[in-house]
Amino acid sequence: NALVHMYVKCGDIVHARQVFNKMPRQDVVGWNALVAGYAQHGNGEEAIRLVEKMQQEGVKLDHITFVCVLCACSHAGLVDKGCCYFNSMSRDYGVTRAAEHYACMVDLLGRAGLLEEA
């Protein structure tokens, strides 16, 4: 996980993904690091694909996963997808919404010009 984080922070998503793929056990911390990396470095759609893969693999999404995916939706302009994740987080995943999640939604809606909704 530390190597994945390091490569993400350096902007080297390719090596981060390679290290992640070679990990014998991929836990939520590693998944979140990779999702955050894609979100931060302009590939929100890949971040969302990873979250969907997390779900397929049976990894339990946590509050950090939702911050990462909401950030990814914001940077990729995926307003509807971001709203779906925000609405499902407590209902479907039992994750309590926190200030960070609301801040991501304000960012998402604001970037889309939906200032009233924000």
Side-chain angles (χ1 to χ4, degrees):
N1 286 334
L3 278 175
V4 173
H5 278 282
M6 182 203 67
Y7 281 122
V8 163
K9 289 196 182 271
C10 293
D12 191 347
I13 302 301
V14 171
H15 281 104
R17 185 70 180 256
Q18 288 173 348
V19 169
F20 177 79
N21 288 340
K22 291 179 182 178
M23 290 170 55
R25 187 173 149 277
Q26 299 164 334
D27 63 8
V28 71
V29 174
W31 282 98
N32 286 344
L34 207 52
V35 171
Y38 280 111
Q40 291 167 3
H41 296 287
N43 198 339
E45 292 184 7
E46 183 62 23
I48 291 166
R49 277 192 287 277
L50 275 178
V51 170
E52 291 168 354
K53 187 167 174 150
M54 286 174 75
Q55 294 169 307
Q56 293 168 358
E57 299 281 328
V59 178
K60 186 175 182 203
L61 308 185
D62 65 9
H63 67 286
I64 295 170
T65 309
F66 282 99
V67 169
C68 296
V69 76
L70 291 172
C71 178
C73 289
S74 177
H75 288 108
L78 302 171
V79 176
D80 291 338
K81 193 79 159 168
C83 289
C84 286
Y85 276 112
F86 183 76
N87 291 329
S88 72
M89 61 186 287
S90 61
R91 180 188 65 223
D92 299 335
Y93 299 96
V95 175
T96 303
R97 295 175 183 154
E100 297 90 350
H101 302 110
Y102 287 100
C104 289
M105 288 304 294
V106 169
D107 185 56
L108 172 71
L109 297 168
R111 285 176 189 254
L114 302 170
L115 301 179
E116 285 293 317
E117 289 87 343

